[in-house]
Amino acid sequence: MAFFVGLHTIAAVVWVGGMFLAYTAVRPAAMNLSPEERFKLWKSIGAKFFPVVGVCCIILVATGYGMIFEALGGFSSSGIHVHIMQGTGWLMIGLFGHLISSPYRKLVRSLKNGNTQDSAKALASMRRVVGINLLIGIATILIGATGRYWA
Ligand code: HEM
């Protein structure tokens, strides 16, 4: 259990912490850049951070179900917080899948074509998805870390 909890927590911290930094610090700081520089910056951030998030998703799912089946005695003996976390966890993974396959891909494509309007639209849509996922991520961390005391 200690091994699973350790990996699970690191993956959660890296993913949600990364979104927190992007939303609360990088986004306002990047407002000083020209639109073209801003689009390129977010494209590079995505290229570096999204593969890391992909690994975090795999670790969260593997260790999450590892804990359920190896330590908690299966679904029927897991608390309600685990069932809620499973739902919000898959929702976050689905939103991340949407982020990389739709708005991020549009940003990369529009940058290649030099289409500033499409880049701005894609970036606005990325910001919305990351904002929603950040809120769900914070709620999931709260549910995961506190659940055993109330579930
Ligand atoms: C997709 C599926 C997921 C499953 C099946 C899952 C499963 C679990 C389980 C079984 C526990 C242990 C609960 C307990 O001992 O009471 C746990 C803890 C936790 N989970 Fe998840 N989880 C998932 C996704 C996530 C996500 C996406 C996050 C955050 C981004 C997250 C954050 C946490 C945290 C912070 C804890 C508490 C660790 C601790 O300090 O003990 N989980 N999870």
Side-chain angles (χ1 to χ4, degrees), residues 45-62:
I45 289 176
K48 297 250 180 301
F49 188 57
F50 292 160
V52 175
V53 176
V55 173
C56 288
C57 290
I58 294 168
I59 292 176
L60 282 164
V61 170

Side-chain angles (χ1 to χ4, degrees), residues 108-127:
V108 173
R109 201 182 317 134
S110 57
L111 256 175
K112 218 180 264 168
N113 302 335
N115 190 334
T116 315
Q117 241 178 358
D118 280 0
S119 295
K121 268 194 223 158
L123 198 56
S125 161
M126 281 177 69
R127 190 190 62 225

